[in-house]
Amino acid sequence: MYERLRVDRSTTVDRVVDALRAAMFAGDLEPGTPLREQPLAEALGVARSTIREAMTMLVTEGLAVREPNKGVSVAILHPEAVADICRARFVLESAGIRAWFDADEAARERVREAMRVFAATAKDGADPEALTETHLAIHRSLVALTGSERLIATADSVTSEARLALARVDALRQDARQQVASHRKLIRLLERGELDECVDELRRHLAGAEESLLEAIAMPPG
């Protein structure tokens, strides 16, 4: 009986984490926003203990910070973290590019499909959150070419921090078509087997992403 209760409670905590994470990624909970137990418990219809557990998980993921005498708030993405995130992404994604010929056809097709979905999503007036989701799916599919679940999990963790600002980046850019063209260039180089050129293009691509992230986090909330 007690095991069943723990499973149900854990599921509730997971749902709360998902809801808070989605609000952060959408920009509804801006970096630095305090996460107050009682208002959140009332809004989500759960116990305060569930909120406490959810916030602990978000702190572990790096999406929230806990400070003595201040409580928990949405993490603020600092410039040095942005640079480190982009370095880590380059290592992971370039490893995927290098694995193109060794990857199975299903993995290569997932890269193509991710590109198709992003292109279909990136239309005038597209929802920034949807753009971010489909944009990141392309980069995740590149890492997945390695065939390593651990590298994919690492990429997910790294990207999770960046997502605190990525929806704002896509909203600021207003250049969905240019983003589609940039990613298509990457995929074309892959398809041609021009892997060195593709890695060089990825380096330029991520340098641009770093610049956009820095611009986004420099803007005041609101």
Side-chain angles (χ1 to χ4, degrees), residues 72 81 118 136 140 162:
V72 179
F118 179 54
L136 290 177
R140 190 178 195 273

Side-chain angles (χ1 to χ4, degrees), residues 44-109:
L44 295 170
V46 299
R48 288 183 66 172
S49 59
T50 300
I51 296 297
R52 278 196 296 273
E53 285 191 52
M55 289 196 294
T56 296
M57 292 175 67
L58 291 170
V59 169
T60 301
E61 292 179 10
L63 297 178
V65 293
R66 191 188 304 275
E67 297 180 82
N69 304 318
K70 290 186 179 180
V72 179
S73 59
V74 180
I76 296 173
L77 194 61
H78 296 288
E80 59 272 18
V82 169
D84 196 36
I85 286 167
C86 290
R87 279 195 297 270
R89 286 185 59 190
F90 177 74
V91 170
L92 293 164
E93 294 175 28
S94 62
I97 289 170
R98 298 289 187 196
W100 176 256
F101 292 119
D102 295 325
D104 60 34
E105 184 56 29
R108 289 193 289 265
E109 183 55 34

Side-chain angles (χ1 to χ4, degrees), residues 9-42:
R9 188 161 175 260
S10 175
T11 301
T12 301
V13 172
D14 290 342
R15 287 201 298 268
V16 170
V17 170
D18 287 343
L20 292 174
R21 195 189 288 120
M24 292 176 186
F25 292 164
D28 297 330
L29 290 174
E30 291 274 1
T33 302
L35 298 175
R36 307 297 187 200
E37 284 183 18
Q38 189 60 41
L40 285 171
E42 291 173 359

Side-chain angles (χ1 to χ4, degrees), residues 39-205:
L40 285 171
E42 291 173 359
L44 295 170
V46 299
R48 288 183 66 172
S49 59
T50 300
I51 296 297
R52 278 196 296 273
E53 285 191 52
M55 289 196 294
T56 296
M57 292 175 67
L58 291 170
V59 169
T60 301
E61 292 179 10
L63 297 178
V65 293
R66 191 188 304 275
E67 297 180 82
N69 304 318
K70 290 186 179 180
V72 179
S73 59
V74 180
I76 296 173
L77 194 61
H78 296 288
E80 59 272 18
V82 169
D84 196 36
I85 286 167
C86 290
R87 279 195 297 270
R89 286 185 59 190
F90 177 74
V91 170
L92 293 164
E93 294 175 28
S94 62
I97 289 170
R98 298 289 187 196
W100 176 256
F101 292 119
D102 295 325
D104 60 34
E105 184 56 29
R108 289 193 289 265
E109 183 55 34
R110 281 192 290 273
V111 174
R112 300 177 188 115
E113 177 61 18
M115 183 66 245
R116 286 193 288 267
V117 172
F118 179 54
T121 304
K123 299 174 181 176
D124 291 338
D127 175 52
E129 190 176 359
L131 274 177
T132 299
E133 195 73 39
T134 54
H135 167 202
L136 290 177
I138 296 175
H139 291 276
R140 190 178 195 273
S141 72
L142 293 177
V143 180
L145 291 168
T146 64
S148 169
E149 292 298 328
R150 288 172 177 80
L151 289 180
I152 295 169
T154 301
D156 288 342
S157 176
V158 168
T159 303
S160 185
E161 287 186 72
R163 283 197 63 172
L164 290 172
L166 278 171
R168 179 181 283 194
V169 166
D170 285 323
L172 287 171
R173 276 175 170 168
Q174 300 286 318
D175 63 350
R177 292 180 183 177
Q178 182 179 333
Q179 286 301 303
V180 169
S182 173
H183 286 80
R184 277 188 172 142
K185 183 176 182 179
L186 269 175
I187 306 310
R188 276 199 305 270
L189 290 168
L190 264 181
E191 294 278 17
R192 292 173 185 166
E194 298 174 10
L195 303 189
D196 289 341
E197 292 82 355
C198 189
V199 168
D200 287 341
E201 181 63 24
L202 175 67
R203 184 180 286 106
R204 288 188 289 271
H205 182 92

